[in-house]
Amino acid sequence: AFALSAESAAAQDFQKHHITAGLGAGLPLDELGAFYNPGFSWSFGYGYRPFRNLQFDAGLDTVYHSADVNSYVSNPTFGFLRVRDFEYMVPLGARGVLPLKDGRFNVYGGGGAAYIRYSESLEQPSGFFRVSCPFCRSRDGWGYYFLAGGDVALTEGGGLRLGVTTRVYQVTTSGPSVGQLPPVETRDRWVNTYIHLT
């Protein structure tokens, strides 16, 4: 009876809160690939695991300068200030988790809803001043995403893990032109891959 209860307690022993940070690349495909380029990307996310095999996710992926916006705004005080583009992606969903080798390795897949915003932003002269950008444009939209990945424990008990995750976004965006993307509704696909620490 003691061995059975110990085994049951061990089965319930898993980490519930997961904070993940990663670096990688965002790859625009299909219709979007004609107007945007692959770009450097970072990812940050939080996951809550109520059960060993189920995790709820919320996060932020950001791709830099994929639309190749490289213009300047003249300011009477600070001179010419650079305008660049940023692509923001917010995944909200869940994943199924398959622990292997007593939890040393995890394999997972999942998906959910996704929000994407493309934005032009002014490079601020310093942290003490905020210059407005009347010419900066943005567009956004909702869709969905899928993910697949895995990780390996770096420490005893799996408190720190190294992994790779790919997210595929399919979102419809609309609004003003950002970069060379036309100011009409477009179906945008991204494939973002990250190496991350959890």
Side-chain angles (χ1 to χ4, degrees):
F2 174 76
L4 183 59
S5 64
E7 185 178 322
S8 175
Q12 297 301 315
D13 184 26
F14 61 94
Q15 190 167 330
K16 291 193 173 185
H17 302 279
H18 300 260
I19 296 175
T20 300
L23 298 175
L27 178 64
L29 295 178
D30 299 342
E31 188 176 349
L32 190 64
F35 304 102
Y36 281 33
N37 302 309
F40 171 76
S41 180
W42 60 261
S43 177
F44 182 81
Y46 170 74
Y48 176 70
R49 195 172 295 178
F51 310 105
R52 178 180 292 274
N53 300 107
L54 176 65
Q55 177 173 312
F56 295 105
D57 292 313
L60 173 66
D61 296 351
T62 299
V63 182
Y64 291 104
H65 200 43
S66 181
D68 205 25
V69 173
N70 191 17
S71 58
Y72 292 85
V73 170
S74 178
N75 180 274
T77 304
F78 300 105
F80 288 97
L81 300 174
R82 195 176 193 179
V83 176
R84 303 296 293 268
D85 62 277
F86 300 88
E87 291 70 44
Y88 302 99
M89 302 159 196
V90 179
L92 302 167
R95 71 181 70 184
V97 182
L98 177 63
L100 303 172
K101 299 284 187 181
D102 295 325
R104 177 165 175 77
F105 299 95
N106 284 331
V107 177
Y108 33 78
Y115 171 76
I116 286 184
R117 180 179 179 85
Y118 309 145
S119 179
E120 297 176 347
S121 298
L122 190 69
E123 189 176 76
Q124 298 299 322
S126 78
F128 302 103
F129 299 97
R130 186 80 187 164
V131 178
S132 64
C133 181
F135 307 107
C136 291
R137 297 165 296 185
S138 65
R139 60 187 285 129
D140 62 356
W142 284 89
Y144 56 88
Y145 78 97
F146 299 105
L147 73 81
D151 59 42
V152 59
L154 299 179
T155 58
E156 189 75 26
L160 181 64
R161 311 184 72 91
L162 176 67
V164 176
T165 295
T166 295
R167 286 192 188 93
V168 179
Y169 291 93
Q170 185 70 58
V171 175
T172 300
T173 65
S174 61
S177 173
V178 175
Q180 298 301 312
L181 196 63
V184 296
E185 186 174 272
T186 57
R187 287 181 53 79
D188 306 343
R189 177 173 294 181
W190 290 88
V191 178
N192 297 358
T193 300
Y194 302 98
I195 297 174
H196 53 78
L197 286 173
T198 301

